[in-house]
Amino acid sequence: MWERTLQDIIRGLRAHKNDEAKFIAQAMDEIRKEVKSKDMELKAGAVMKLTYLNMLGYDMNWASFHIIEVMSSSKIHLKAVGYLAATQSFDEDTDVLMLTTNLIKKDLSSSPAEVAITLNGLSSVVTPDLARDLGPEVFIMLNHSRPHIRKRAVLTLYRVCEKYPEALPQGIIRLQERLDDSDPGVVSATVNVICELARRNPQDYLPMAPRLFHLLTTSSNNWMLIKLIKLFGSLSPHEPRLVKKLQPPITDLISTTTAISLLYECVHTCIIGNMLQGPSGLSLAQTCVSKLAAFLQDADQNLKYIALLALVKIVPTHVDLVAEHQDVILASVDDDDISIRMRALELVSALVNKHNLQSIVQQLLSHLVQPQTSIPSAVQSLSQHVVPSIPPKALSAPSHSPAYRLVLSQRIISMCSDSMYDNVTDFEWYLSVLVDLTYVSNVDIGAQIRDQLVDVVGRVRAVRACAVKLMVKLLSDETLLVHAGEPGSCSEVLWAAAWICGEYCSELLAPEELLPYLLHSEVANLDPDTVAVYLQAATKVFGYWSTEAAQQWTDDLLDKVKGAVDSVMERLEDFVSSPHIEVQERAANILQLFAFVKHDLTTYRPKLEPTFSDGYSASVSVFDIPEFDSGPAFPKGLYLIHPLFSAYELNPVASAAQASVPVPEGLDLDTWIVPSMQVSVHDENEGGEVVAEKKVKKKSKKGKEKESSNGTRPKGMKKKKEDEEALVPLEETETPEEIAERERQKAERLERMREDPYYITNDRPSKLPVDDVDSIPIVQLDELPPPTPKVEPRLFALKSSSARSSSPRFVVEKEGEMPEGAMLTPPQSHSAPITRQQTPSLFERISTPPPILPSFQQYDVPESDVRASTPEPIKVTKAKRKGTSTGKKKRSTGAG
């Protein structure tokens, strides 16, 4: 019968490319029959064909036992086929491996050829059980008379120790003996095995250091020298004395060798082995840096890459040495290879300091500029004032991939913001760089630019005027609004622009000119968070401008202010119907504020200046002569909005501020905010009448209000305590039908609320209904700041800064603000619940005393009016005075 050989299988696969599966199925059927044959030659041929098919991805685990049969053949060429098939298909889960223990022991004691084949196969199929059982035989092979057997035994020993670590102590002793072997191949293999084993536990191999050092200084085999250098790189961190010992031979190798691989390995070992530290390592560091700098000028891209990779590791310890080659490193940023540019970018970021930051950023910004566009304004200004370290070159666009542009933009920001802006000396320049990135980056980096703008302006006070000027330019640029939804538009920067202009609108001389840009119709297409900030900024700007107008009020400004209010209200109408709840709520609230201002402007009438016949001067303040004029000379509504946003100064917050807030006394953070609802709201008294429960908290006791015999409280009835008293509102008598109807409606409502997952329930007693709306007191907001004299002139630009020097001194508030009453002790390492401090009052937060407010006419409410009902009981706590017992309680105007 004619059988197909391996060559026939290969020819058949090439001839049946369109029907390979059918041909393989036929070949497998033939192989299954052949491996069952008693002819060992035929069986070995079938195993060889099966091994080839297994390389193509076909399974051969079903033939494991037949492979062992071929391994046991007495013929060397058949045994080699069996071991080859075993190394190709056997693994630790192969069941028949337990049958190979005695077979391998027998083969290890056979002829040198069979021993070599057996060692090769054992190194591939060794398992923990085989390593334990065959370890002694492998140790015996280390003393074989044939060098190639000893070399194979050394390499097999590595796999034995890896699978069976208990054999490692004896293996280290035997490996140390092989370092003195007469054959260079055995020594090289031994060094290779020791180098791999030393990665896991280098301390165990320190006794070999003298012999390894001798090989380092005497060997000429570059391959073995590379392994020795790697090995000493692992040992030197655990033995400091090796560093001083290794510096002379490694320096000699770096200076004399022509092998690039050996040179790089020497440099790498010097870095990881701490050989560049101290005065003795300075000369070695200079040698390493000079060699690596030469690699950067080589035409081989691989040498450039490994040089940049090594220089990045040297920079942390010898930044001055690397900075000497800054020109060559910056030239690598222009390389066409993206991997080299990325490594060069990483190295450049590590070289940045106060002196070269601006020149490096200028060089990197040029890569973001499209060839058709011009250099940004920041780069132009830098080219005039900063002398670059390398000659300027024509702009090139090595890569316009979004990934590279994103990394490059992030690197520019990280270099400038590193260590809280330690390297930035001119923050106006940095702000211009951030604005330039907005236009030239063309990647989604707007969120990072936004955070940087807000952080810089918040921490550096001297740069706020310049920041407002730049932000006004961004807000007035309709291109950003039109392309806000496109990828890479950096529309998030508009969030920062609106916030800065609103928060620091006092830096503007004509704030009213910014309102049309903040309420532009295209603003509605921005992100909802940005739109909300736009609305808030518009309110702040108008509030500041209206306050300034009130301080310099003339009747000619009335029409201008009315027009501005009408314009703002008209534009706000579009945002009130926004589908986003945050935008809608802010627009509605702001619209109501402006409605109040509009009403006040409408009802305002110009005041005539009083004249006097008895010699009084007409310049006397109208506030000092109430009999002639009862109000100010300007609409009071102009002071309504600005105090809402100017009460507190916004400062940067320290990183440990939240953790340093002490827990207020009496605050239990583990108590539920919404307790259980299972508390009765109304109880029936003995007469069947319903009385609403009212609990008044006392400092020491709890009590119930006294009731009259008919279930109602008499007018003016009070319950007195030793140091406090509570006022209880009057209640109306309800008929039984009204009580029943109210109870039924309330029960239905509570049942609906229990089933509603979006309703937050409350178990406290309900408030009494407010029937008489007219009885609610009207409170006038008359706490308005007084007009202060204005000194500087009004111009259509930023405020005049004549007092400011030409070169401002930028001070960065790095620490941030700590809360009042903060604990100075460092925060605990363990996680603790977040605590909050009670919000201090307005005048407690302001460092300066509150200004004296003008005495405007108040909306008085007669105290004798009888109120049918009050929204909620009023609790008044005060010290009891002697000799003061009036029957009527005066209303406190300063309660709050």
Side-chain angles (χ1 to χ4, degrees), residues 191-268:
V191 171
N192 190 15
V193 170
I194 295 175
C195 181
E196 295 299 322
L197 292 175
R199 293 182 178 182
R200 302 179 182 179
N201 194 5
Q203 296 90 337
D204 295 342
Y205 304 91
L206 287 175
M208 302 182 185
R211 180 56 186 166
L212 295 174
F213 182 81
H214 175 72
L215 293 174
L216 178 65
T217 55
T218 57
S219 177
S220 59
N221 184 354
N222 287 338
W223 177 254
M224 189 170 67
L225 287 175
I226 291 175
K227 293 296 182 180
L228 287 170
I229 294 296
K230 285 185 175 181
L231 182 55
F232 279 116
S234 302
L235 298 180
S236 56
H238 302 277
E239 179 52 69
R241 292 176 294 179
L242 276 176
V243 175
K244 186 176 180 179
K245 188 76 173 176
L246 290 171
Q247 283 177 349
I250 290 182
T251 303
D252 184 64
L253 283 175
I254 293 175
S255 304
T256 58
T257 185
T258 58
I260 301 299
S261 57
L262 178 59
L263 176 59
Y264 175 76
E265 201 59 49
C266 291
V267 174
H268 184 261

Side-chain angles (χ1 to χ4, degrees), residues 492-508:
E492 296 87 352
V493 178
L494 295 175
W495 189 102
W499 185 89
I500 292 172
C501 289
E503 189 67 27
Y504 306 105
C505 56
S506 59
E507 300 291 343
L508 291 170

Side-chain angles (χ1 to χ4, degrees), residues 1 28-37 42 46 62:
M1 182 180 178
M28 281 291 186
D29 293 339
E30 296 177 2
I31 292 174
R32 290 179 185 275
K33 296 177 181 178
E34 292 172 0
V35 294
K36 296 178 181 179
S37 174
L42 184 60
W62 55 271

Side-chain angles (χ1 to χ4, degrees), residues 452-471:
Q452 283 293 292
L453 287 172
V454 174
D455 190 59
V456 169
V457 175
R459 293 183 183 276
V460 186
R461 298 176 182 270
V463 81
R464 290 174 182 174
C466 176
V468 171
K469 181 179 179 180
L470 292 175
M471 297 305 103

Side-chain angles (χ1 to χ4, degrees), residues 17 35 65 72 367 374 376 410 421 447 559 793 837 863:
K17 291 183 179 180
V35 294
F65 185 78
S72 61
H367 293 283
S374 59
Q410 290 174 345
Y421 314 105
D559 294 336
Q837 188 182 18
E863 298 182 359

Side-chain angles (χ1 to χ4, degrees), residues 192 241 243 372 443 450 482 500 560 567 684 772 812 888:
N192 190 15
R241 292 176 294 179
V243 175
Q372 296 81 9
V443 289
R450 174 198 63 197
V482 173
I500 292 172
K560 183 178 181 180
S567 176
E684 295 185 2
D772 189 3
V812 183
K888 192 179 293 185

